[in-house]
Amino acid sequence: EAQVTQNPRYLITVTGKKLTVTCSQNMNHEYMSWYRQDPGLGLRQIYYSMNVEVTDKGDVPEGYKVSRKEKRNFPLILESPSPNQTSLYFCASSLWDGTGGTYEQYFGPGTRLTVT
Amino acid sequence: AQKVTQAQTEISVVEKEDVTLDCVYETRDTTYYLFWYKQPPSGELVFLIRRNSFDEQNEISGRYSWNFQKSTSSFNFTITASQVVDSAVYFCALDNYGQNFVFGPGTRLSVLP
C-alpha cells in the first residue's frame, strides 16, 4: 500500500529537549516536504526536498532542521523546541519531474506536538 | 511573494444545496500550479485537483467542479447537491515548481442534514 508514515503520532515534550519526527514514504517519490498546521493559518511549509541531499527552506524554517540522506526518509529535527512550535505537523511526498512542479502530494497522518 | 486567500472562513449549508468555495491567489510567476485539498474531521489530507496555469478549462468530477479564471486570479470550487459527507475543511494551494508551496487558510464547510 502506497503510504507516508510519520512517528510519533503524538508527542509531549519540554522546552529545549531535542526531538526528531520521522517521515518515510514507499512510493519512490523525489519530492518531500514538511508542513505545520495551526488554526486559522492553514498549512505552512517548513522545509522541502527535491531529491536526496537537496533541501531548501519553506516559509517557516526557523527552529527546524531536516536531512535527506535516503530517498524514502525525511526526518524533521527540533534541536531546542519552544512552546511556539506546538502544532500539528504533516509530512508529504510527491512525484517531481524537475520542471513542472509537484504533483498530487501524499500526506502522512500527522504528528501532534506539544511543547511545554 | 506568493499568497492564497480563502475569504470564507466557515460556510454552513443544508444538504442538497450547492456551495461555492472561493480561492484567490497572488503570484508573479507565469507558470504555476493550483490545488484543492480536503481535510475531513478525521484529519487526513485528501487531494482533489491539480491545475496548471496554462489550462483554464473548467473541470467537473461528479458533484465537484472547478472554475479557473486567470484574469481574476481565482480558482473557485463548487459542490453541487452537497451531502453531509462533504463536511470538511477545504484548502486551496499554489505551487511554484515545488518551491514555497503555499496553502490558503482553509474554509470549513458544514453540511447540515
Side-chain angles (χ1 to χ4, degrees):
Chain A
E1 180 192 354
Q3 61 181 354
V4 177
T5 57
Q6 293 178 229
N7 282 293
R9 295 288 312 278
Y10 303 91
L11 179 59
I12 300 174
T13 189
V14 296
T15 299
K17 186 176 181 182
K18 181 179 179 179
L19 66 92
T20 298
V21 184
T22 64
C23 173
S24 183
Q25 49 96 3
N26 63 0
M27 295 166 278
N28 202 35
H29 286 164
E30 296 83 8
Y31 185 91
M32 296 186 74
S33 185
W34 276 102
Y35 301 90
R36 59 177 288 173
Q37 182 176 13
D38 301 290
L41 297 177
L43 286 84
R44 292 179 292 168
Q45 191 175 46
I46 303 171
Y47 270 94
Y48 62 93
S49 170
M50 294 185 181
N51 217 323
V52 176
E53 303 291 2
V54 180
T55 63
D56 209 343
K57 298 177 181 178
D59 284 336
V60 288
E62 294 77 20
Y64 304 95
K65 286 176 59 177
V66 293
S67 68
R68 187 94 181 269
K69 296 188 173 74
E70 304 166 284
K71 199 171 187 179
R72 62 184 292 127
N73 296 323
F74 191 45
L76 179 70
I77 302 157
L78 285 71
E79 298 242 333
S80 183
S82 62
N84 64 12
Q85 293 178 298
T86 293
S87 189
L88 178 59
Y89 291 87
F90 286 98
C91 179
S93 75
S94 166
L95 288 171
W96 166 259
D97 66 7
T99 61
T102 58
Y103 290 82
E104 168 188 357
Q105 288 193 63
Y106 292 78
F107 285 83
T111 295
R112 187 165 292 281
L113 172 65
T114 302
V115 183
T116 62
Chain B
Q2 303 198 135
K3 185 178 179 181
V4 175
T5 301
Q6 294 178 258
Q8 304 146 310
T9 305
E10 295 191 31
I11 301 175
S12 285
V13 299
V14 176
E15 205 168 20
K16 297 184 184 174
E17 285 185 7
D18 299 347
V19 58
T20 295
L21 309 183
D22 297 332
C23 172
V24 174
Y25 61 92
E26 294 176 29
T27 181
R28 293 181 180 176
D29 300 301
T30 55
T31 302
Y32 50 89
Y33 294 83
L34 295 164
F35 295 79
W36 276 93
Y37 283 86
K38 172 182 180 179
Q39 187 175 41
S42 50
E44 74 271 24
L45 283 148
V46 179
F47 167 83
L48 296 177
I49 190 171
R50 173 186 190 253
R51 176 53 52 88
N52 77 52
S53 54
F54 296 110
D55 183 2
E56 289 194 68
Q57 282 193 350
N58 292 334
E59 179 152 344
I60 298 174
S61 176
R63 294 183 298 107
Y64 295 170
S65 62
W66 290 269
N67 180 268
F68 176 29
Q69 291 197 341
K70 211 166 176 178
S71 59
T72 56
S73 298
S74 65
F75 187 43
N76 296 337
F77 173 34
T78 297
I79 302 175
T80 302
S82 60
Q83 299 176 1
V84 172
V85 293
D86 295 327
S87 296
V89 180
Y90 290 87
F91 294 100
C92 181
L94 172 64
D95 175 26
N96 166 27
Y97 293 106
Q99 303 167 11
N100 296 318
F101 196 100
V102 177
F103 281 85
T107 296
R108 182 178 299 277
L109 174 65
S110 299
V111 182
L112 308 173

